[in-house]
Amino acid sequence: MDKQQQPSFQAKDGMNYAPKGRPNAVVKPGDEFAFAAAALDHGHIYGMAGGLIEAGATLKWVYDPDPAKVQAFVEQYPQAIRADSLEQVLADPEVRLVAAAAVPSERGPLGLKVMDAGKDYFTDKTPFTHLDQLEAARRKVRETGRKYMVYYSERLHVESAVYAGQLVQQGAIGRVLQVTGFGPHRLNAGSRPEWFFQKEKYGGILCDIGSHQIEQFLYYTGCRDAKVLHSKVANYHHPEYPELEDYGDATLVGDNGATQYFRVDWFTPDGLSTWGDGRTFILGTEGYIELRKYVDLARDADGDHVYLVNQDGEQHFAVRGQVGYPFFGELILDCLNRTENAMTQEHAFKAAELCLKAQQQALQITTSY
């Protein structure tokens, strides 16, 4: 079994990011909300499944064509029944939602199958690698009335990011004007699957990990749309992987005038205690917020630090274990009640659209090694 499939939250391995929260069930155990896990290509499936289970969902099935991946998954979640095929999962009327972390280029087509079967779909980011996949999903949502939800984990599964959203909604910094995001990741090249280095399959760095940054911008600013003003990508330091983009950045302006700059890269040094020093800065008319998501450098190995400066002064909140992850419970209730409290479909698709456009129009920087 590939190393990246080990089902544990490893601090130095972002591909296995699967934080554990406090159980906060919104439904009763059993058949009230059953879901299945499929396409176990990315370790994020463990975080997705864990979040749903903590919110009261019942994991009924698991399917992947690779028996080793299924074996690892059932060792973590022994309650899951091994399915012989995807069709077996989709034919079960008790399954309301399918959670999947397929190879990125396969996520869109898989979602169409799930929605055609009358199930809601919950996919790892990035949800698409081409704009035509996005348009196909939009049509299918309209046809079927099913949900195509996305695991934008750098906001949904990070307590400091959740808390920052609460502060913004409470008006702690006034109207949000600008969001700056930094999403560095550790490469761990030796543990990555082949598809990770094939651009047609992973989509490009702005399409992939850049999707987190754009989703956060839309959320914190309240924008419903935005334009990509400039973007660029590069392979600065990995000639042995010619299709890998190890650096990317972009600038956006939202429909309400708010702006964003973000940078993503694969240059986390080995000396860092975690897989990436993720930071977000949110500037408002009445103050600003800084998030130190995964580590407070040289001070606290725990992450989830929120720094707030406004008219009341300077404040620091250490929120790990204090806030939880409300998205998962809200998603379950949305599926049951056909509401949109966890995330609107428009928002999920708009973040995907903008990361695809940023990738499509990115300036390719040429460099000599």
Side-chain angles (χ1 to χ4, degrees), residues 301-320:
D302 279 344
D304 289 310
H305 292 270
V306 179
Y307 293 87
L308 168 66
V309 182
N310 60 13
Q311 64 272 18
D312 297 325
E314 306 168 5
Q315 300 179 74
H316 167 235
F317 307 94
V319 299
R320 176 157 293 182

Side-chain angles (χ1 to χ4, degrees), residues 50-109:
L52 290 168
I53 292 168
E54 289 167 2
T58 298
L59 173 58
K60 185 172 183 181
W61 295 99
V62 59
Y63 173 72
D64 190 278
D66 183 347
K69 292 175 183 167
V70 173
Q71 178 60 33
F73 190 84
V74 297
E75 288 175 3
Q76 180 79 3
Y77 298 114
Q79 69 270 42
I81 304 169
R82 303 176 196 235
D84 296 325
S85 66
L86 178 64
E87 288 68 29
Q88 185 179 11
V89 171
L90 298 182
D92 185 346
E94 292 182 350
V95 172
R96 295 178 177 269
L97 176 141
V98 175
V103 173
S105 60
E106 299 171 6
R107 291 171 185 169

